[in-house]
Amino acid sequence: MYSEPRFLPAGERALVVEFGDEIAPEINARLRALTAALEAAPVPGVVEVVPTYRSLLVHFDPLTVAPEALEERLAHLAGNLGELKLPEPEVTVVPVCYGGEFGPDLPFVCEHTGLSAEEVIRIHTGTDYLIYMLGFTPGFSYLGGMDERIATPRLKTPRTKIPAGSVGIAGKQTGIYPIDSPGGWQLIGRTPLKLYDPFREPPVLLAAGNYVRFTAVTNEEYDAIAAQVAAGTYRVQVEPKGEGRGA
Amino acid sequence: MAAVFEVLAPGLLTTVQDRGRHGYQAFGMPVAGAVDEYALRAANLLVGNAEGAAALEITLLGPALKVLSPAVIALTGADLGAMLNGAPLPLWQAAAVKAGDEISFTGVRSGCRAYLAVAGGIDVPVVMGSRSTYLRGKIGGLEGRALKAGDRLAAGEPAAAARALVGRRVPPELIPTYEGSLTLRVVLGPQDDHFTAAGRETFLTGEYTVTNEADRMGYRLEGPKIEHAGSADIISDGIPLGAVQVPGHGLPIVMLADRQTTGGYPKIATVISADLYRIGQAKPGDKVRFAAVSRKEAVQLLRGQEEKLWRLAELLSRPAGRVRHFRITVQGKKFEATVEEL
């Protein structure tokens, strides 16, 4: 982590506030704190803020606030984040039906890691994953903290269409596809939850700074939850992070 | 809402766009919106709309549209050979159309994207604060897709009576030209330090060509390779409009309206806002050079561009001086003349 954030120009209408040059929870917490500070007390001219792993992209109107003045303002805010308490993180429980048609690559993950399907599922469901950021496609969350014992390289040939809700592993990462898209992740299961729905407010289920916990469900449970999601009656299980499973 | 157009033929790529879907990038939602905002905003001003009203963005090969009910339209941006009932339809001015009229396009003459605004704005549902079509996410516009034959488009309520709008035009000095050889001004960064000095030099002196992989998401350019200082990967961060990212192959990609919100390639520079329309109007084969300016200059140039639109808005908001149209015939040739009271 840098002792003071770096300001990098991104044209005259955006700037990058960079807090470090690695992926680490404490760096991510700093930029989330700055995001929260900007939400609590909006700075005139700032139009949108995009938090990522280790930096914020701040979009602003330079005809309302000069870039240099904005940098000063942000530096001041960033220097006083100690007083700001981040909201208590929450854990969103994501039910997943592992293996079978939903997780066609689970056998390959087992073969690659030398673990049984039960062990892979136990390890995958045994961690609360920090949501570092959202990006790439609407609702895609970059999760941190996967157990390296189940790390598996990407497919050699990406699939042209992966159904929304698919849960996969790519190297040391794990994630959920929010929309049908091509991709090269090893698919181990699928969730019936809708991670992204443009007509819902907010359109995206997960938020940076919170956690995801996968929980294994049977085919029957998957179908039952899917029916409730379709009917709009499913209540997503959200818990306070507390001191539970580490990330 | 009354349907105003029926799509007879959709053209190459015609979509509904406004000024984009802002405020949702933190969820991974791309902004979308008109690639050439200046042309969109001018078209809307001509027909009395808010600058950010939804209009049609027409790419290279225009559609054929049948007019279903009387309306006032304005066409700006690229010259794609617009015709009204087979006669040339002048650009950068408001015109009345009536039921049964047909708008068509003969082919591209200059630029890449035209904007067709209609008084009242194209009326499609608002999704996350915008009517813009985001094709990959299948949202906004008409069912999240480009127009197709048989579609019907409705317009909202016009802000002014047709007679107050028809004939309004953008003065020549406020009409941009689109060239096949352009120099884009950039602010270096945020990751210019991920390239060698030679790499930055190559970027600022080389001539690049727009490839066929040039769309609303980004323009891939071909030309001299830009040398990275180390790895061609960064920890994924936000991608601003106009970012010039350079993946491992060393060739620049200018990121436009439909760009993904985050990415892991280093960005050597960002095209300044005032020049974004120029790359957005470039076509495959066009030549592109880059020139660095300071952020201060970029702000000045943005202000200059905004002032043009303020001036246009002000010109158009003046109570219309008496305007009279004459048709005169001189030595057998027919002329249309407009006399305007100043």
Side-chain angles (χ1 to χ4, degrees), chain B residues 296-315:
Chain B
K296 272 206 163 63
E297 287 173 81
V299 174
Q300 276 313 320
L301 291 160
L302 171 65
R303 179 171 287 118
Q305 180 156 291
E306 290 298 314
E307 277 167 359
K308 285 185 178 179
L309 286 161
W310 295 335
R311 242 183 83 202
L312 178 61
E314 207 238 350
L315 275 174

Side-chain angles (χ1 to χ4, degrees), chain A residues 6 8-16 18 20-23 47-55 57 59-63 67-68 71 133-140 142 179-180 196-199 201-204 206-207, chain B residues 19 21-31 37 126-128 134 136-139 187-191 193 234-241 259-263 270-274 276 295-296 298-299 302-303 306 310:
Chain A
R6 290 173 74 199
L8 311 170
E12 84 289 352
R13 280 199 296 193
L15 58 88
V16 178
E18 195 178 88
D21 57 0
E22 60 192 314
I23 298 173
V47 292
E48 187 166 3
V49 168
V50 186
T52 58
Y53 276 118
R54 43 80 188 244
S55 64
L57 183 61
H59 295 272
F60 62 96
D61 173 12
L63 305 185
E68 299 73 22
E71 285 184 8
M133 60 185 268
L134 298 168
F136 175 55
T137 56
F140 184 85
Y142 290 79
I179 55 175
D180 293 352
Y196 161 70
D197 178 351
F199 302 103
E201 188 58 41
V204 164
L206 303 174
Chain B
R19 293 187 70 185
R21 195 163 278 112
H22 296 276
Y24 293 88
Q25 291 186 76
F27 297 123
M29 174 57 65
V31 176
E37 277 212 345
V126 173
V127 182
M128 287 179 239
Y134 170 49
R136 284 176 179 81
K138 300 188 178 70
I139 63 159
V187 174
L188 289 174
Q191 280 104 24
D193 59 351
I234 58 164
I235 298 171
S236 287
D237 72 354
I239 304 180
L241 184 59
R259 72 199 179 280
Q260 66 271 31
T261 57
T262 60
T270 312
V271 176
I272 67 168
S273 305
L276 284 169
R295 191 161 60 173
K296 272 206 163 63
V299 174
L302 171 65
R303 179 171 287 118
E306 290 298 314
W310 295 335

